[in-house]
Amino acid sequence: MKLSRTRFQKGFPPVGCLFAAWLFAGCSHLYYADPNPATPFAFPGQSPTTPAGSPSAPFDPGTLAPVTARPGTAPTPPAPGLSASDTLRVGDTIVVAFSDIPLPGLQPVTQRIRDDQKITLPYNVTLVAAGKTVGQLQEDIRSAYVPNIFVQMTPSVNSLSAPLTSEERVFFVDGEVKVAGRLQYKGEMTVLRAITSAGGFTDFGKRTKIELRRANGQKLFVNWYKAIEDSKADLLVYPNDHIIVRKKLW
């Protein structure tokens, strides 16, 4: 019995030593699980940091992912003063701007659509504008300049007569008519139709020399008797035109 105890003490280490060795060997696999991420533990020589996304973390815009709109969901801003179905007419005033061209570029051009339905732009470019939408006119302007004059150019057309609705288009009839004043311009209008819209002539109205004064100051004259026989003598009336029936002399 004494011999067996001696052999055990010499051949095997004490049980306490085995347990201690196992405990310290496992220390290399221990890790620190922070129970409070908002205020993490700071080891000696380290400064405490706040985890990103915690309530106490300072807001950093750079950490946010950019928001990208889904295709087709962004609303299209309306064109200034015009809807897609509005068409330009004689007498309307438009502003044409030019971009995406080399310096010194071109200054914006303000044009009134002439009686021949056309406008004239830099480099003597003449185009028909009446009867077209803004989008159609922009395409025509670009085709006239690219590639004949510029390699690239983007035109922009805005109307100073907006909104282009019949309620906003007017002309004026004055003098010896039964209902003188401002009348709405609805569709195609001629001098004889305009006088009819104003109630017709008074008994003193001079029919042989009806004055048609354009918005640009031009003066034309219409003979009612000739216009009755020949429609070509019945001149067209455009928005903002002024018709004056003089008093006849006996």
Side-chain angles (χ1 to χ4, degrees):
M1 186 68 178
K2 184 177 180 181
L3 180 60
S4 300
R5 184 180 301 175
T6 303
R7 290 181 178 177
F8 176 80
Q9 291 176 350
K10 291 182 179 181
F12 299 94
V15 176
C17 295
L18 291 174
F19 177 78
W22 171 82
L23 179 62
F24 285 105
C27 288
S28 60
H29 301 287
L30 293 178
Y31 62 92
Y32 175 76
D34 195 341
N36 188 4
T39 55
F41 177 81
F43 289 95
Q46 295 181 347
S47 59
T49 58
T50 306
S54 65
S56 59
F59 175 73
D60 182 6
T63 61
L64 298 178
V67 179
T68 304
R70 292 178 298 173
T73 59
T76 302
L82 291 171
S83 68
S85 60
D86 286 327
T87 57
L88 298 165
R89 300 187 184 183
V90 171
D92 290 333
T93 301
I94 61 175
V95 178
V96 182
F98 307 89
S99 59
D100 300 329
I101 56 178
L103 295 175
L106 295 175
Q107 294 296 321
V109 176
T110 301
Q111 285 273 306
R112 178 185 177 274
I113 301 177
R114 303 190 300 265
D115 297 345
D116 61 358
Q117 304 184 346
K118 297 179 181 180
I119 58 173
T120 300
L121 301 176
Y123 294 99
N124 201 30
V125 172
T126 301
L127 299 169
V128 174
K132 297 180 180 179
T133 65
V134 166
Q136 291 171 339
L137 181 56
Q138 289 178 163
E139 287 295 327
D140 289 350
I141 294 173
R142 187 180 186 281
S143 298
Y145 281 92
V146 179
N148 296 331
I149 301 175
F150 298 110
V151 175
Q152 183 177 356
M153 189 270 287
T154 302
S156 175
V157 177
N158 290 317
S159 173
L160 299 182
S161 305
L164 297 179
T165 62
S166 59
E167 289 75 12
E168 297 295 331
R169 297 174 184 271
V170 297
F171 63 96
F172 304 88
V173 182
D174 200 4
E176 295 299 323
V177 292
K178 294 180 180 178
V179 186
R182 168 177 169 170
L183 300 176
Q184 290 185 3
Y185 185 92
K186 295 182 177 180
E188 185 177 285
M189 182 63 62
T190 66
V191 171
L192 297 190
R193 292 177 186 175
I195 293 175
T196 301
S197 299
F201 295 98
T202 67
D203 293 338
F204 305 99
K206 185 177 182 179
R207 306 189 182 198
T208 56
K209 196 175 183 180
I210 304 167
E211 182 178 341
L212 174 60
R213 188 174 297 175
R214 299 293 191 195
N216 61 2
Q218 181 185 14
K219 292 182 180 180
L220 304 170
F221 296 94
V222 174
N223 186 314
W224 183 83
Y225 297 100
K226 292 182 179 179
I228 285 290
E229 299 297 331
D230 184 5
S231 60
K232 294 181 180 179
D234 187 11
L235 300 181
L236 289 173
V237 177
Y238 301 123
N240 297 320
D241 280 357
H242 192 180
I243 301 168
I244 303 173
V245 179
R246 305 290 181 182
K247 192 173 184 177
K248 64 183 177 180
L249 301 176
W250 298 92

